[in-house]
Amino acid sequence: MKKAMLILNPSSGKEEALKHKESVLNTLKEMGYEVTLKETEKEYDATVFAEQACHEQYDAVVSMGGDGTLNETITGLANQEYQPTLGIIPLGTVNDFARALNIPMDPEQAIEQLKTAHPKRVDIGKINDKYFMNIIALGGIAEATFGVSVEQKTKLGPLAYMIEGFKTIREKEPFDMVLTHDDQKWEGNALLFLMALTNSVGGFEKLAPDAEVNDGKLHCFIIKDVPLYKLVAIMTSLLKGTLEEDENVEYFTAGEVHVDSEKDLISNVDGDEGAHVPLTVKVLKSHIPVFCPAESE
C-alpha cells in the first residue's frame, strides 16, 4: 500500500488546518494511501517530519499550513536522496509558491485537486546554506516588511507587505552593491534588489511574468537610486508586470548570484528575515517533485 504523511500546522490560518484535517485524511485514503498524521508544535518540526518521510520512503508528503510550514517541509526534502512527492494545501497569507504552481487558494479546492494532480519537478532556491521557494529581497523597503504583524497579515493579506514597504519610500536609503553572476559583474547603488524564482511575489503575480517554475533561473531586478517621483513610477511598473522594461531598472537572469555590500544588509527571504550579506544565491533546477494541477486541455 502507498504511504502518505500529512504535515499539519494546527495554528495556521486561524486554525483552518484543524477544520480541514479530516477532509485531507479522507481524500488521501480514497487515493489509496495509508496516512500518517504529524502535527507541528514548534519551529523545525516540519523539517524533521519531512526527513523522516524520506528515510522511510513515503510516497507522498502533504504540507498543510502557511509559507513557513511549507518552507520547513521543503528544507526536509531538499537534501535527501529519496524524495516523496510533495502536496500543498495553502493556508498562509500569501502562498506565492502555491500560486505559481496554480494550486487553488481555497483549501477544499486544493484538497480536491490532489485526486487529479500530476507530479512535476520544480525549482527551489538556496541562499548560503538555507533553502527558499520564491524571492530574495535586499534594501530598506525589503527590511521594513519584517515589521508586519500576524494581525496585519491576517487582515490585509499581501497588501500588508506593500503598505509597510511604501512607508519607507520617503526615507529612501540607497546602498552600494557588488553583484557577480555568470562571469559578469555589476557595481553601483540601488534602492532595492529582487531575485525571484517564480512569477508570484507577495501575492502579486506579475513581478516576473516570464518566470517558470522549472526554468532554472533567478529573475533579478536592480532598482536604481532615483528621485522619489521616479520610484513611484517604478512601483506602478511592478504592479503592471512591466518592471523589466523600466529604464531605471536593470533586469537579468542567472543560475547563481553572489552579492556583497559595504552596508550591513539583511536579506528578506520569502517574507521573513534571512542572512546578512555577503550572499550566494543559486537555483536548484527541477529539484523536488510536487503534485501540480492537471494541465488544462
Side-chain angles (χ1 to χ4, degrees):
M1 195 176 198
K2 297 184 297 182
K3 294 192 300 180
M5 179 183 289
L6 171 60
I7 299 176
L8 179 154
N9 182 345
S11 62
S12 283
K14 296 182 179 177
E15 302 185 350
E16 282 276 295
L18 294 175
K19 189 168 85 174
H20 298 288
K21 176 172 73 173
E22 290 305 318
S23 179
V24 186
L25 293 172
N26 291 334
T27 295
L28 290 170
K29 287 171 186 173
E30 281 177 38
M31 293 169 64
Y33 290 102
E34 179 185 340
V35 188
T36 300
L37 172 64
K38 296 285 190 179
E39 296 191 13
T40 62
E41 296 179 356
K42 59 187 183 300
E43 195 175 16
Y44 305 124
D45 275 355
T47 298
V48 173
F49 297 150
E51 288 174 347
Q52 178 189 342
C54 293
H55 297 155
E56 296 180 9
Q57 301 212 335
Y58 275 67
D59 298 281
V61 167
V62 177
S63 171
M64 185 158 68
D67 287 336
T69 305
L70 180 57
N71 183 281
E72 286 189 16
T73 302
I74 285 174
T75 296
L77 300 175
N79 238 355
Q80 305 300 318
E81 189 174 332
Y82 173 88
Q83 295 171 325
T85 302
L86 174 65
I88 302 170
I89 311 299
L91 296 177
T93 307
V94 179
N95 307 306
D96 278 320
F97 194 62
R99 287 177 191 273
L101 297 172
N102 295 316
I103 292 169
M105 292 298 100
D106 177 81
E108 283 302 324
Q109 290 179 20
I111 294 164
E112 181 64 24
Q113 69 85 32
L114 282 174
K115 297 176 183 177
T116 55
H118 298 298
K120 179 177 183 177
R121 296 198 74 89
V122 304
D123 300 345
I124 59 171
K126 194 169 187 181
I127 173 169
N128 293 350
D129 59 347
K130 304 280 187 183
Y131 297 97
F132 69 98
M133 304 168 294
N134 206 59
I135 190 164
I136 307 294
L138 287 170
I141 296 170
E143 291 180 20
T145 62
F146 299 152
V148 176
S149 67
V150 174
E151 291 75 17
Q152 286 173 298
K153 290 180 188 178
T154 302
K155 185 177 180 181
L156 299 172
L159 191 60
Y161 293 103
M162 186 65 79
I163 290 169
E164 289 303 312
F166 269 108
K167 283 181 185 176
T168 69
I169 285 178
R170 287 187 178 278
E171 308 124 29
K172 64 186 185 70
E173 291 184 22
F175 56 91
D176 69 285
M177 192 167 58
V178 180
L179 304 176
T180 52
H181 64 94
D182 302 331
D183 299 323
Q184 296 188 51
K185 189 173 184 178
W186 185 92
E187 290 186 70
N189 289 331
L191 288 175
L192 183 64
F193 179 47
L194 303 170
M195 292 176 274
L197 274 178
T198 73
N199 67 311
S200 182
V201 176
F204 301 98
E205 298 179 30
K206 291 183 177 179
L207 174 74
D210 297 331
E212 301 285 345
V213 294
N214 54 5
D215 62 10
K217 296 176 182 176
L218 287 163
H219 295 258
C220 303
F221 301 86
I222 303 166
I223 298 176
K224 299 173 185 175
D225 183 16
V226 294
L228 183 61
Y229 74 93
K230 287 190 176 180
L231 188 57
V232 173
I234 288 171
M235 291 303 171
T236 303
S237 298
L238 186 156
L239 294 176
K240 288 167 59 181
T242 57
L243 189 60
E244 65 188 76
E245 299 169 15
D246 194 293
E247 64 180 3
N248 296 301
V249 175
E250 193 145 337
Y251 169 74
F252 64 91
T253 61
E256 183 171 328
V257 180
H258 184 77
V259 187
D260 210 343
S261 174
E262 291 185 5
K263 191 169 182 179
D264 182 25
L265 298 173
I266 307 170
S267 60
N268 181 315
V269 182
D270 288 339
D272 292 321
E273 186 173 333
H276 294 238
V277 292
L279 304 171
T280 297
V281 183
K282 58 185 174 183
V283 183
L284 305 178
K285 181 170 169 52
S286 301
H287 194 73
I288 59 168
V290 180
F291 282 116
C292 295
E295 299 291 335
S296 54
E297 297 298 325

